[in-house]
């Protein structure tokens, strides 16, 4: 991880302190989420090449998630990275676009909170906070509970219900999976990429 | 354009450089039972395992060179099992004395959204078929006796037609690059299957039309 | 005398004639004898040749039939001109690296004319040198503290050297070698786990012995005893195992566990679907595509090792013995109330249960309020009361003893309560744990107060595990000499109320146990109508 600007680090520390005040316990080990971007080399038709994002999450160490933004997604095992290397000539890895998010994990009863610093090209660009309500997989059932919990340490920065849940055909009551989590991370990364100034952005 | 050859790749970890060693042969339908009997005796003592799979072969046409081939295979007899995506490289043209066909191999287990995903990546399905038969195991060696069937209506795996009156027999081992004893073991095993079936190294490139 | 001369000459001539025919006869006899002898010799040669051939064929047939018998039970294959066999468990799924190859040797050089020895067999087997002799695994559980002695030593997988009638010598030899191989594999697995597993008190692996301490003060040692060669002169009879049949279950379990491990290797769970996928455990293959979390992955990969299972079993055996010992010592030490233990016949290797009843002799039907179900686990004992309360005790024997003592004390008070109902007395107050009086070091004292049917008398009982019982009787005021008639209370009816208490010398009371004494007391205080 590269140099972290003072303001970002302060916010991260503040969040940590608030969590500890609530009574959350710091867990052993770090978490990390990273995302690599590939774009197809010149296609037959003149369409702009789609971007393929390949993401990893330390919570699911044996898996690789491949996403097309707004398109189909794939969950595969770790050999998918090897396959992408073989596809070098068809899909180029945009090395400058690699995003990483690292941080500590906290546990507060049934909630799992991960506060991380998002870095692109070794420069810190923002903060991510992931809140997971472990007993439930259906967003509709626990969104209100999560919102209330987030208010307790994020104050007024609580986000709205993520769009990834609302755009699903079954709506809020389909069980959520790792792809939804990764989609949200991806949205956050893209948002941060577009921002010129480092700022803090919260995602759930 | 094909993927860079294996020898150029950095040797970091076994998964990057897994090689498939392969010997192939065929038996007529009438000889199947005796072959299965022999295999049952020679291979590891397990319950006989049958399979029914559906394979789709995808091509990605690049600007120059040969198209990139990926094989997506799912089990029809175990629908909840993950899809299997396979890349097979060019056969290594090492020394001619090597008894088995050696080629680089990447195996990926994926979720069930694979066909749509491959389409989005730009791959187009070239052909598909249904394979059913028996699997045997002896240590690290896998013996697969397959009957291939053509799919008459795309997407419909029920309506199939047999391609030939024989079964394809494949003896394969997945091992990291550089293990040469593997092909020796395969050859001695293949000897034990003669004269029921002759397993030999068949170079796929010589059969390209 | 010319006639005489004639005779003489004839006689002479015939004599000479008689002499030469004998020689001729001799020669001709010799010749004929030699022809006959030659014929006989030729015949004998042919006969001996055919007998030798027959013998050879028979030996070969014996060898072949013996070989057939061998083949029906053991795996054989021909390599060049040697016949080799496999006595390892590899075809059953074992991954032990020993080759386990034996060689079949023809043993047909004996002369069938001479007496064939009793144990002659046309076939002999040559087993690998490191599998010779016999081996067994010795498990011993020893405790240093005096309260419970050693739980004993048991030899597992020990086969008797004498063979049953009809068993071929090669079969016996091969089975013994296979037993040695199995013992080695089990021991190798155990020592590997002993080194890898992290436990509070680390296991010690020294050459052929694994020492571990499941509980502080309890030592479990597992050793591999391999005696190569035949030492028939040494202690012929195996040391008599103590009448502790728990450890026989251990042998069965060890065997089962290693076979379970073998079976895993051959399980169809490893076969790939679709067929082109690599070999590997079915659930691990799902881990990637279904995004298993770290917790899910470790739950798929982890299985309890052999050593852990054995240690758990040893702990349970120990805990069970200790519980039994505690209950028995209490039962023999304390006569009133009585403690009964009914052990259940069918137990698990990690869990046993016993039903403990505390009763008073003669009053079993009346006073049966204390019935405890003890579930003895690996490290704890769970006690379930009749009324559903659950108490968890640790492995310390003092805890169980104290608990039972306190239950016994409570029983006495409960007994008074039940007795009162039967006798028609009214229960005025009852408390399982009294907060008054001296503090007991073990548990709490209980107390009950009952009043006679007509209300004249009351009996108060306080019973504690340590302090024993104290019985007081409350008399009506008009019976007590201490109270003086006062000026305030004038009405005579007030003198019928109960007044002061007087203690009963309980030890001097008649009766063989507490409840009997109590019954007598109640009866004495209930006036006849």
């Amino acid at each position: 991880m590269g140099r972290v600007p003072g303001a970002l680090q302060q916010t991260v520390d503040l969040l940590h302190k608030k969590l500890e005040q609530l009574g959350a316990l710091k867990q052993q080990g770090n978490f990390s989420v990273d995302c690599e971007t590939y774009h197809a080399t010149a296609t037959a038709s003149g369409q702009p090449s789609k971007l393929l994002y390949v993401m990893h999450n330390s919570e699911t160490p044996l898996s690789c998630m491949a996403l097309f933004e707004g398109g189909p997604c794939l969950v595969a095992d770790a050999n998918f990275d090897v396959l992408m290397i073989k596809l070098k000539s068809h899909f180029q890895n945009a090395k400058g676009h690699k995003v990483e998010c690292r941080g500590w994990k906290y546990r507060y009863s049934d909630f799992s909170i991960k506060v991380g610093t998002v870095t692109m090209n070794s420069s810190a660009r923002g903060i991510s906070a992931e809140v997971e309500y472990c007993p439930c997989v259906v967003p509709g059932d626990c969104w209100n509970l999560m919102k209330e919990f987030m208010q307790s340490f994020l104050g007024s920065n609580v986000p709205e219900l993520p769009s990834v849940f609302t755009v699903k055909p079954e709506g809020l009551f389909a069980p959520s999976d790792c792809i939804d989590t990764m989609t949200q991370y991806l949205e956050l990364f893209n948002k941060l990429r577009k921002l010129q100034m480092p700022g803090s952005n919260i995602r759930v | 354009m094909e993927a860079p050859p294996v020898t150029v790749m950095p040797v970091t970890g076994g998964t990057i450089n897994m090689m498939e060693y392969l010997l192939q042969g065929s038996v007529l339908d009438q000889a199947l039972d005796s072959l299965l009997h022999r295999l049952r005796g020679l291979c590891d003592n397990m319950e006989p395992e049958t399979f029914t799979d559906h394979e789709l072969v995808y091509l990605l046409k690049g600007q120059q060179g040969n198209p990139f081939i990926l094989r997506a295979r799912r089990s029809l007899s175990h629908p909840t099992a993950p899809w299997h995506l396979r890349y097979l490289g060019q056969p290594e043209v090492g020394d001619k004395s090597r008894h088995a066909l050696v080629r680089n191999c990447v195996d990926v287990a994926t979720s069930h959204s694979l066909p749509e995903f491959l389409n989005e990546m730009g791959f187009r399905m070239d052909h598909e078929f249904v394979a059913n038969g028996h699997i045997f195991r002896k240590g690290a060696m896998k013996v697969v006796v397959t009957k291939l069937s053509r799919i008459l209506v795309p997407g419909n795996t029920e309506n199939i037609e047999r391609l030939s009156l024989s079964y394809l027999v494949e003896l394969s081992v997945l091992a990291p690059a550089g293990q040469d004893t593997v092909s020796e073991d395969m050859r001695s095993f293949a000897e034990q299957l003669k004269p029921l079936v002759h397993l030999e190294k068949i170079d796929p490139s010589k059969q390209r039309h | 005398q010319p006639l005489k001369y004639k005779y003489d000459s004839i006689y002479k001539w015939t004599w000479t004639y008689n002499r030469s025919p004998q020689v001729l006869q001799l020669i001709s006899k010799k010749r004929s004898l030699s022809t006959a002898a030659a014929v006989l010799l030729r015949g004998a040669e042919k006969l001996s040749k055919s007998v030798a051939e027959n013998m050879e064929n028979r030996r070969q047939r014996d060898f072949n039939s013996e070989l057939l018998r061998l083949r029906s039970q053991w795996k054989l294959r021909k390599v060049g001109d040697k016949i080799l066999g496999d006595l390892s468990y590899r075809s059953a799924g074992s991954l032990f690296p020993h080759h386990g190859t034996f060689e079949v040797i023809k043993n047909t050089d004996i002369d069938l004319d001479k007496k064939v020895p009793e144990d002659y067999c046309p076939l002999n087997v040559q087993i690998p040198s490191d599998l010779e002799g016999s081996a067994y695994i010795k498990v011993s559980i020893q405790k240093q503290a005096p309260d419970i002695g050693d739980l004993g030593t048991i030899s597992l997988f020990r086969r008797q050297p004498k063979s049953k009638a009809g068993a071929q010598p090669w079969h016996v030899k091969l089975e013994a070698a296979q037993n040695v191989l199995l013992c080695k594999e089990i021991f190798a697995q155990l020592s590997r786990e002993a080194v890898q597993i992290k436990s509070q008190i680390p296991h010690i692996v020294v050459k052929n012995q694994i020492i571990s301490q499941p509980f502080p003060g309890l030592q479990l040692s597992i050793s591999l005893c391999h005696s190569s060669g035949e030492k028939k002169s040494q202690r012929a009879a195996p040391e008599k195992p103590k009448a502790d049949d728990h450890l026989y279950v251990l042998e069965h379990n060890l065997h089962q566990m290693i076979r379970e491990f073998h079976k895993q290797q051959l399980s169809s769970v490893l076969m790939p679907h679709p067929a082109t996928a690599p070999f590997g455990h079915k659930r691990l293959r799902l881990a990637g595509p279904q995004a298993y979390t770290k917790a899910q992955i470790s739950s798929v990969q982890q299985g309890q090792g052999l050593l852990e299972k054995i240690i758990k079993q040893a702990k349970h055996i120990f805990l069970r013995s200790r519980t039994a010992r505690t209950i028995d010592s209490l039962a023999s030490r304390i006569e009133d109330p009585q403690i009964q233990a009914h052990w259940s016949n069918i137990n698990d290797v990690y869990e046993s249960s016993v039903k403990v009843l505390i009763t008073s002799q003669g009053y079993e039907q009346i006073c049966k309020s204390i019935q405890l179900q003890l579930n003895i686990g690996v490290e704890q004992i769970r006690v379930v009361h009749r009324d559903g309360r659950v108490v968890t005790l640790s492995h310390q024997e003092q805890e169980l003893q104290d608990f039972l003592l306190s239950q016994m004390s409570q029983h006495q008070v409960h007994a008074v309560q039940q007795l009162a109902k039967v006798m028609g007395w009214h229960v005025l107050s009852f408390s399982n744990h009294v907060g008054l009086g001296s503090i007991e070091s073990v548990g709490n004292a209980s107390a009950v107060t009952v009043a006679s049917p007509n209300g004249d008398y009351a009996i108060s009982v306080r019973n504690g595990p340590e302090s024993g019982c104290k019985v007081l009787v409350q008399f009506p005021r008009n019976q007590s000499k201490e109270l003086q008639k006062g000026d305030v209370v004038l009405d005579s009816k007030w003198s019928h109320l109960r007044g002061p208490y007087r203690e009963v010398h309980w030890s001097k009371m008649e009766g063989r146990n507490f409840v009997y004494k109590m019954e007598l007391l109640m009866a004495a205080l209930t006036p006849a109508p």
Side-chain angles (χ1 to χ4, degrees), chain B residues 45-46 49 53 84 137 142, chain C residues 265-266 273 275-277 279:
Chain B
N45 189 13
M46 288 197 254
E49 190 85 6
D53 293 341
H84 179 230
R137 190 185 91 162
K142 190 195 311 187
Chain C
Q265 299 304 316
L266 292 183
H273 285 273
T276 46
F279 289 125

Side-chain angles (χ1 to χ4, degrees), chain B residues 45-46 49-51 53 73-75 77-78 81-82 84 86 109-111 135 137 140-142 174, chain C residues 75 90-92 265-268 270-279 282 285-286 288-290:
Chain B
N45 189 13
M46 288 197 254
E49 190 85 6
T50 56
F51 69 91
D53 293 341
R73 192 154 168 152
R74 64 166 171 149
S75 173
S77 50
H78 291 67
H84 179 230
R86 192 165 226 219
T110 70
S111 58
I135 317 178
R137 190 185 91 162
M141 291 195 282
K142 190 195 311 187
L174 254 189
Chain C
K75 268 180 95 155
R90 235 198 306 268
S91 55
Q265 299 304 316
L266 292 183
S267 162
S268 68
L270 294 175
M271 288 301 232
H273 285 273
T276 46
F279 289 125
K282 186 165 69 170
R285 212 177 301 134
L286 287 172
Q290 293 194 359

